[in-house]
Amino acid sequence: MTKNTAHTSGPSANPTPAATLEFRHAQKVYPGSGEPAIQDLSLEISAGEICVLVGPSGCGKTTAMRMVNRMIDLSDGDILLDGGSVRERSPAELRREIGYAIQQIGLFPHQTIAENITTVPKLLGWSKDRQRARVTELLNLIGLDADMAARYPTQLSGGQRQRVGVARALAADPPLMLMDEPFGAVDPIARARLQNEFLRLQAQLRKTIVFVTHDIDEAIKMGDKIAVLKQGGVLAQYATPADLLMYPADKFVEDFVGADRALKRLALQRVRDIDLWKAALVRPGEPVAQARAKLADADLPIAMLVDDENRPQGWLSERAFAGERVTSDLRSPAEPVADLDDVLRDALSDLLSSQTRYGAVLDARGAMAGVLSLEVIQQFLHAPPTEARSGAELVPE
Amino acid sequence: MSRFVLAQLKIEKPGGSGSCVADNDFCPEWIAENLDRYWTPLLEHLFLTIVPVVIGFAIAMGLAVLAHRRRWLTGPIVTVTGIFFAIPSVAAFFLLQPITGLGYTTAIVALVSYTLLIIFRNITNGLRNVPAETRDAAVGQGLTDRQLLTRVELPMAVPEIMAGLRIATSTTVGLAALAVFAGAGGLGSEILTDRYFKSNVVVAGGLAVLLAAVLDLALLGLQRLLTPWQRARA
């Protein structure tokens, strides 16, 4: 079923191909406890994807993660790493093959940063030269100065320690990484920065990652796929972030995702992703008849005055159409304007805060690319994000 | 008995500081002249300190590692070593004589038994104080139980282990002064020989205190050498 289909889409910096991971009816029952901690969990994670396990506390997300490297042993079912059962592997050997980063980081205080980072390479018997080279490479990758190598963990800030924790997990270039709230121990601003850095890293490295968090916003931001677990380790839904927000499988997921999930969806999209309105673009001195024809063809009742390069000058008032030729009588300035690459949520926020119904959207050269309106956004929210489904009436008015 | 008599004779020999000695005062001149005779007892005392501490450390380490793997052993080990610790040392030196006779063996066996509780307790605490997340990170990266112990837990416990060794060493220097009752010599035998002669008691006692201080400093230096990470601060 699961073959060795690990792909190597990453650059040459990633010699180890990412692994596939499959939970197959995985189950965990702790002795003396009637209720299973994980009940029949099945899901497949493609090579090179971040799969976020998310859910309220006690949902078994950490247990599920720890079963992968046998920190917790399965009671029943199986977990397949690149098609091979983890049950048949020696735990220590298996763990050296899987990157491991936890919220409390767990750096060794008696070892330097370099020694901490080379924990697994040392276990694997790498030469000293290779270890040293790897430390330099990783410090560079996580944006720490090379002279940090000789420091001790107590000499680093919280954010730096979290980065070192990630570097240590990456040290032996593992095909799979397990990350349990790896950015949980820092303040929200530092966390956002670490998340962005990590996503940038992941774009290069293309590791397969199991990422545990209790924070749905972090899940939406980090995940290629999100597995929402509920009490007893039951898989409530396994979907892409957009699908999860658009089509929560049940009341539990809907509540967990939150009432603001429509806004969260907007955060996932860019202005270019939606069907913008077409505006009438009118140049000064243009015959009024021609301008009126353009207006009739447009999606909105007012026209935009543009220059020769189609750059917006402002919205035209009725008075501009009074004579033979269009004058430069404006009703309002062209602002707010949005770029095609802006995040939809930010563009909407600009629109609302400037109390206008329409926002000009510009392409990379600054020319009009279309118009964003509240109606356009509403239509977008009602439309299915990836595939048409019936009976989904999920977007609040 | 003959040693006592000899010593008495020695003191009554008139020296440069005859009157001071006769008055049983504190006599620097006598001390300067007779310092040589403390050399051998001092070395004996050093031997009676280092050997028991080293043997005690080896045994306590073995016991602590055992108890680290099998937690239930901790209670019984603490009880037994606690009983050893509670036996009055003079009694121990006499009680052991029918088995081990007079001499170093008796003294060392008794002194070792006193170090066990202190060192065991400190090693155990040190191992136990390793934070759970450090252990979790180590195991999660694929360290075996043995590697966890030798690469993480023991190095991190060094400050507490060294603290235990320092207490054990100071205690042993003090107790070794009583090893004379086991016929093992040391500075205690010098004190006992001329126990009414102030200068002698002050010198022999002072050397024991000095020995304890020097050994303590040496261990402190060793600890700093072994734990550069403890001094590292941002």
Side-chain angles (χ1 to χ4, degrees):
Chain A
M1 183 167 178
T2 309
K3 292 152 291 188
N4 267 328
T5 50
H7 70 155
T8 43
S9 59
S12 58
N14 183 14
T16 313
T20 59
L21 187 68
E22 183 189 352
F23 288 78
R24 196 181 278 179
H25 304 295
Q27 194 178 2
K28 179 67 194 179
V29 185
Y30 285 104
S33 153
E35 298 289 299
I38 297 285
Q39 193 178 305
D40 194 32
L41 179 64
S42 294
L43 58 91
E44 286 180 54
I45 302 166
S46 312
E49 271 192 358
I50 299 181
C51 168
V52 180
L53 303 179
V54 69
S57 60
C59 71
K61 53 193 188 290
T62 296
T63 303
M65 188 201 86
R66 291 167 74 89
M67 290 195 303
V68 174
N69 68 350
R70 298 194 55 183
M71 295 289 279
I72 294 174
D73 268 317
L74 286 151
S75 303
D76 202 3
D78 209 346
I79 295 175
L80 308 176
L81 176 63
D82 260 347
S85 169
V86 298
R87 308 181 81 139
E88 286 155 18
R89 306 284 307 275
S90 107
E93 194 193 304
L94 175 73
R95 289 169 194 155
R96 290 169 196 177
E97 216 173 273
I98 300 175
Y100 188 67
I102 54 175
Q103 177 181 2
Q104 308 86 343
I105 317 173
L107 292 182
F108 304 142
H110 63 293
Q111 294 187 350
T112 61
I113 299 308
E115 288 168 333
N116 266 289
I117 288 177
T118 54
T119 301
V120 177
K122 270 195 290 264
L123 292 172
L124 296 175
W126 287 20
S127 73
K128 286 265 181 271
D129 283 345
R130 192 173 168 204
Q131 288 182 33
R132 241 192 313 275
R134 185 65 177 152
V135 168
T136 311
E137 189 182 353
L138 283 167
L139 285 179
N140 184 37
L141 198 67
I142 59 170
L144 289 188
D145 286 344
D147 64 357
M148 290 282 184
R151 304 237 184 128
Y152 288 97
T154 47
Q155 296 173 298
L156 269 56
S157 71
Q160 289 172 330
R161 281 202 283 267
Q162 294 262 2
R163 287 188 184 87
V164 173
V166 172
R168 180 170 70 172
L170 283 168
D173 196 23
L176 172 70
M177 307 241 298
L178 305 179
M179 307 182 85
D180 190 353
E181 310 224 7
F183 311 127
V186 293
D187 62 87
I189 294 168
R191 185 178 315 137
R193 197 165 55 230
L194 287 170
Q195 288 168 343
N196 294 338
E197 275 177 23
F198 186 73
L199 285 174
R200 220 169 40 238
L201 262 182
Q202 167 67 358
Q204 293 174 41
L205 301 174
R206 294 249 151 248
K207 298 285 179 196
T208 306
I209 294 167
V210 178
F211 190 110
V212 169
T213 181
H214 65 273
D215 177 357
I216 185 67
D217 293 311
E218 186 172 47
I220 290 167
K221 181 168 182 181
M222 304 303 287
D224 293 310
K225 285 279 201 70
I226 298 174
V228 183
L229 300 182
K230 56 183 161 189
Q231 219 69 30
V234 177
L235 182 63
Q237 190 167 6
Y238 184 45
T240 63
D243 276 351
L244 191 75
L245 292 171
M246 194 63 194
Y247 307 110
D250 57 19
K251 186 80 174 62
F252 171 81
V253 178
E254 196 177 333
D255 288 346
F256 189 75
V257 166
D260 61 339
R261 65 175 198 279
L263 285 178
K264 284 175 180 144
R265 251 192 84 206
L266 292 180
L268 287 174
Q269 307 288 333
R270 300 193 180 275
V271 174
R272 67 164 69 255
D273 296 332
I274 66 175
D275 287 328
L276 296 171
W277 276 358
K278 187 180 150 200
L281 305 182
V282 177
R283 295 196 173 79
E286 207 174 312
V288 165
Q290 189 185 326
R292 288 216 183 273
K294 283 182 183 172
L295 258 180
D297 193 33
D299 290 316
L300 64 163
I302 58 174
M304 175 64 88
L305 185 73
V306 294
D307 66 6
D308 290 344
E309 309 277 326
N310 271 353
R311 286 185 296 236
Q313 308 298 307
W315 295 104
L316 287 167
S317 78
E318 256 322 294
R319 286 195 307 281
F321 297 87
E324 286 281 298
R325 300 201 168 253
V326 175
T327 63
S328 298
D329 271 310
L330 298 182
R331 56 190 292 153
S332 58
E335 283 75 29
V337 295
D339 285 335
L340 280 172
D341 281 327
D342 283 352
V343 172
L344 208 43
R345 189 187 53 188
D346 299 344
L348 174 65
S349 167
D350 283 350
L351 209 57
L352 292 173
S353 61
S354 58
Q355 295 186 310
T356 53
R357 292 169 55 89
Y358 311 114
V361 176
L362 310 183
D363 63 18
R365 294 187 317 274
M368 285 289 290
V371 170
L372 189 67
S373 68
L374 295 180
E375 290 90 332
V376 166
I377 291 173
Q378 225 160 22
Q379 275 166 17
F380 164 75
L381 287 174
H382 279 280
T386 51
E387 55 191 288
R389 288 186 211 185
S390 57
E393 290 184 21
L394 300 154
V395 178
E397 282 84 80
Chain B
M1 227 26 192
S2 60
R3 286 186 68 151
F4 282 64
V5 175
L6 269 170
Q8 293 291 327
L9 284 174
K10 234 187 273 175
I11 289 166
E12 275 155 23
K13 263 184 202 158
S17 51
S19 71
C20 173
V21 173
D23 296 343
N24 194 13
D25 280 337
F26 179 70
C27 315
E29 283 164 55
W30 180 89
I31 291 168
E33 276 169 32
N34 293 273
L35 211 49
D36 281 358
R37 65 183 228 174
Y38 294 99
W39 184 241
T40 307
L42 179 64
L43 288 180
E44 280 172 351
H45 209 102
L46 182 65
F47 178 80
L48 284 172
T49 304
I50 289 180
V51 171
V53 170
V54 168
I55 296 174
F57 176 67
I59 296 173
M61 180 60 83
L63 291 174
V65 169
L66 202 65
H68 191 54
R69 293 275 153 76
R70 301 180 213 294
R71 284 292 164 96
W72 61 270
L73 280 172
T74 310
I77 292 172
V78 168
T79 307
V80 172
T81 54
I83 290 170
F84 288 160
F85 194 70
I87 299 172
S89 49
V90 177
F93 291 129
F94 285 119
L95 284 171
L96 279 169
Q97 278 178 27
I99 309 162
T100 48
L102 265 178
Y104 286 135
T105 313
T106 302
I108 287 170
V109 169
L111 291 171
V112 164
S113 74
Y114 287 107
T115 63
L116 292 180
L117 179 68
I118 300 167
I119 304 178
F120 175 79
R121 269 246 150 107
N122 275 269
I123 299 177
T124 309
N125 285 343
L127 293 178
R128 216 161 272 181
N129 286 345
V130 172
E133 68 262 22
T134 311
R135 216 172 264 134
D136 186 74
V139 174
Q141 289 179 95
L143 272 77
T144 59
D145 281 354
R146 177 187 289 263
Q147 287 164 337
L148 175 67
L149 183 73
T150 57
R151 299 187 188 195
V152 178
E153 291 174 326
L154 282 175
M156 283 180 71
V158 163
E160 270 155 290
I161 295 172
M162 292 304 292
L165 281 179
R166 285 171 63 191
I167 301 170
T169 303
S170 302
T171 310
T172 306
V173 170
L175 290 176
L178 298 171
V180 57
F181 294 114
L187 290 166
S189 93
E190 284 310 300
I191 295 171
L192 196 65
T193 311
D194 287 341
R195 63 190 182 282
Y196 300 117
F197 179 33
K198 247 183 228 164
S199 298
N200 172 57
V201 173
V202 167
V203 175
L207 282 175
V209 172
L210 197 68
L211 180 64
V214 167
L215 288 176
D216 196 53
L217 276 176
L219 285 171
L220 186 64
L222 182 64
Q223 177 181 343
R224 288 175 70 91
L225 211 66
L226 289 175
T227 57
W229 52 281
Q230 285 239 306
R231 274 165 292 141
R233 286 288 174 270

